[in-house]
Amino acid sequence: MSSLRFICQRCSQPLKRNQSMEMSQEPEALMLISAQGEPGETQEGGPPSREKADFENLNDSASCRTLPGLPGRRMSWDNSNNFILLGNLGSVRTINSRQKAASDIFDILSGERDVDHPLCEDCTDNLLEQLDVQVTITESEIQNYKCCLETREWISEDERETLQEKLKGLELEEARLVQELEEVEKNQERTAADLKAAQAETEMLDQQEKQYRKDYSKLKWQKLELYDALSSVETQLWYSQIQWDQLEKTNIFNATFEIWHDGALPTINNFRLGCLPTVPVCWNEINAAWGQTALLLLALSNTIGLEFQRYQLIPCGNHSHLKSLTDDCTELPLFSNGKNVFLHNKFDQAMMAFLDCMQQFKEVAEKGGSGLRLPYKIHVKKGLMEDPGSGGGFYPIRTHSNTEEEWTKALKLMLINFKCSLTWVSLRYCQK
Ligand SMILES: [Zn+2]
């Protein structure tokens, strides 16, 4: 049994031999379509007449038709077969020669056409359809060429010249268009370069924009922080203004020194100054009250620019004192420990010196039209406070040879004088 040996050169499908050829049981006929025969089955030198009959039988068994556009050439195939032989099968004698002839036929067919053989049935159909189309086109072109030749013969000399001029015009137009094309190509190159430059610039501008946005955000952040700081400062300013307004309305002397009374006893900043037989006051409190009074007198004298003569006033709480500027800087204590109070000489000297200082303040303050007018007179040399009113009299500020009532009365008059001085200083020096 021979096996299939051919492959379709277009779709690479294996080709099967003709069924009718197998039925003929003639190995020679089979070998015609086999590229490689089987030597053991070859029968060389068979009767030529029978071979011819087999091939005629092969041709008869295939349905035949004439190739379109190829008159005289026959195409042969069978609907049940899978491969085709093209061309006219000539004389075949031996298996080898038949095999060679088949290969040559395929080579010739492949060489003449741009198609390799053998082909399967489907590829052959496709090829034939393509050839049909080519033939149709070629015939149409032939007709056109014939028409042109006939028309050329009929065309007049004038028309020919006209067509020549038209041709020249078209050639010039072509040259112009070629030149224009070159210019367009040059422009395209320039435009491409410009585009590249523009893209680079765009990239640079993008970078700049990013940087600007960063800077902008930073500045905006700073602005918000500054707004916050400004708002805080404005709030502080508003609060300070309120405080300022309140302080402006505040009288510093009245706020610092409160002169009032506790029953029959005068007080300064809640410290009682003086004592009565019925109302004993500890000396610490009296000393503290003297300290506040000394501080007040010093503040008043500083306010009006007064420097005391003869004495230096040194407020120091409940240990305040005066220093004599004439007698070798003798210290006069403006406080007492309560022992031998009404015999104590230096305490009396200190209070007398204090009256001297107060008198100096009074004399300076009384100068001028808007001068101070104190309700109670001061007699420095005698150390007396004078009440010029209806229940008038003189009250010594000393304790020696004095009573608690009179001493306390003198201190009370002195503090009332100070209260008037506070009001006067506040109106004159502490108002705008
Ligand atoms: Zn094929």
Side-chain angles (χ1 to χ4, degrees):
M1 288 296 288
S2 63
S3 59
L4 62 102
R5 291 288 183 269
F6 286 109
I7 289 175
C8 175
Q9 298 299 306
R10 184 165 282 191
C11 67
S12 299
Q13 294 289 325
L15 302 177
K16 288 181 181 176
R17 59 184 175 177
N18 192 324
Q19 194 70 25
S20 61
M21 289 165 70
E22 193 173 9
M23 292 297 290
S24 70
Q25 295 183 355
E26 290 292 333
E28 296 86 349
L30 296 178
M31 290 311 295
L32 174 67
I33 56 173
S34 174
Q36 294 178 357
E38 294 173 14
E41 296 179 2
T42 55
Q43 297 180 4
E44 290 187 18
S49 59
R50 187 161 182 181
E51 291 166 7
K52 191 176 180 182
D54 286 337
F55 282 99
E56 283 173 356
N57 188 27
L58 171 66
N59 287 335
D60 291 341
S61 66
S63 58
C64 301
R65 73 173 187 181
T66 302
L67 292 176
L70 295 171
R73 178 165 295 204
R74 298 180 71 202
M75 180 190 71
S76 169
W77 79 88
D78 190 310
N79 287 336
S80 61
N81 290 339
N82 292 90
F83 77 97
I84 301 296
L85 291 180
L86 291 176
N88 196 6
L89 295 177
S91 62
V92 182
R93 292 182 180 178
T94 65
I95 290 175
N96 284 335
S97 63
R98 289 176 203 151
Q99 178 181 338
K100 189 175 183 303
S103 297
D104 290 346
I105 288 167
F106 290 145
D107 291 342
I108 290 165
L109 289 172
S110 303
E112 286 179 353
R113 299 285 167 183
D114 292 331
V115 180
D116 287 333
H117 288 273
L119 296 172
C120 70
E121 183 181 342
D122 290 337
C123 291
T124 305
D125 286 343
N126 286 334
L127 176 64
L128 289 174
E129 284 175 9
Q130 289 174 19
L131 289 174
D132 282 349
V133 172
Q134 282 183 16
V135 167
T136 307
I137 292 169
T138 306
E139 283 177 345
S140 172
E141 285 175 350
I142 289 169
Q143 288 299 321
N144 284 338
Y145 287 132
K146 281 181 180 173
C147 263
C148 284
L149 285 172
E150 289 171 2
T151 307
R152 189 178 178 183
E153 288 171 1
W154 295 341
I155 209 164
S156 67
E157 196 64 29
D158 292 343
E159 285 174 334
R160 188 167 300 185
E161 285 177 4
T162 307
L163 286 174
Q164 286 290 343
E165 285 175 5
K166 200 173 177 181
L167 181 62
K168 281 182 184 176
L170 288 172
E171 284 172 349
L172 287 173
E173 178 75 9
E174 184 190 11
R176 188 183 66 76
L177 288 173
V178 168
Q179 196 174 355
E180 198 172 313
L181 181 64
E182 287 174 357
E183 287 177 5
V184 167
E185 284 173 347
K186 284 179 186 174
N187 281 336
Q188 190 183 9
E189 287 175 6
R190 278 198 297 270
T191 307
D194 291 347
L195 180 64
K196 200 173 178 183
Q199 282 171 342
E201 193 177 354
T202 303
E203 196 173 341
M204 189 188 72
L205 289 172
D206 283 345
Q207 291 288 337
Q208 284 183 358
E209 188 188 359
K210 277 184 186 173
Q211 188 59 41
Y212 287 149
R213 284 186 183 281
K214 275 186 185 174
D215 293 346
Y216 174 73
S217 299
K218 199 173 172 184
L219 288 173
K220 197 166 185 180
W221 184 260
Q222 285 180 1
K223 180 187 163 189
L224 290 174
E225 284 183 335
L226 287 173
Y227 264 128
D228 286 346
L230 178 66
S231 178
S232 172
V233 168
E234 282 177 346
T235 307
Q236 288 178 28
L237 181 65
W238 171 78
Y239 178 74
S240 301
Q241 190 66 46
I242 289 174
Q243 294 285 313
W244 176 262
D245 291 342
Q246 286 179 350
L247 288 173
E248 267 192 337
K249 292 170 188 169
T250 304
N251 186 309
I252 185 65
F253 282 104
N254 287 339
T256 310
F257 300 103
E258 186 187 8
I259 294 172
W260 199 240
H261 63 87
D262 182 5
L265 297 177
T267 61
I268 177 166
N269 290 346
N270 293 326
F271 293 119
R272 291 172 293 185
L273 186 61
C275 59
L276 293 171
T278 53
V279 187
V281 178
C282 74
W283 278 99
N284 257 340
E285 186 176 346
I286 294 170
N287 294 337
W290 266 119
Q292 295 295 309
T293 310
L295 181 64
L296 171 58
L297 179 57
L298 188 65
L300 290 171
S301 61
N302 286 339
T303 304
I304 65 171
L306 168 66
E307 279 195 23
F308 296 118
Q309 296 174 356
R310 296 180 287 280
Y311 300 102
Q312 183 187 0
L313 187 58
I314 303 171
C316 193
N318 57 1
H319 276 69
S320 301
H321 55 273
L322 291 99
K323 194 179 279 185
S324 171
L325 298 176
T326 53
D327 301 335
D328 298 331
C329 299
T330 307
E331 278 199 5
L332 304 173
L334 204 54
F335 56 90
S336 174
N337 56 8
K339 293 176 182 174
N340 303 319
V341 175
F342 289 88
L343 297 173
H344 201 275
N345 205 16
K346 281 212 168 181
F347 183 45
D348 283 350
Q349 283 180 24
M351 289 187 286
M352 299 272 282
F354 188 84
L355 274 191
D356 186 0
C357 292
M358 191 177 177
Q359 179 64 21
Q360 290 179 45
F361 167 76
K362 177 176 175 287
E363 287 170 0
V364 174
E366 281 179 342
K367 291 176 183 173
S370 60
L372 174 64
R373 295 287 178 268
L374 293 179
Y376 305 110
K377 286 184 180 177
I378 301 165
H379 300 273
V380 176
K381 287 184 179 176
K382 295 179 181 176
L384 298 174
M385 292 297 300
E386 182 189 350
D387 181 4
S390 56
F394 295 90
Y395 303 95
I397 193 109
R398 68 179 185 277
T399 53
H400 182 61
S401 303
N402 198 2
T403 60
E404 288 180 341
E405 292 86 345
E406 296 225 333
W407 177 64
T408 301
K409 180 75 175 178
L411 295 175
K412 188 175 183 178
L413 298 182
M414 181 187 74
L415 280 186
I416 292 171
N417 269 356
F418 272 127
K419 193 168 176 68
C420 295
S421 301
L422 274 177
T423 308
W424 175 80
V425 166
S426 298
L427 287 171
R428 181 160 183 176
Y429 292 94
C430 300
Q431 299 288 325
K432 276 187 177 178

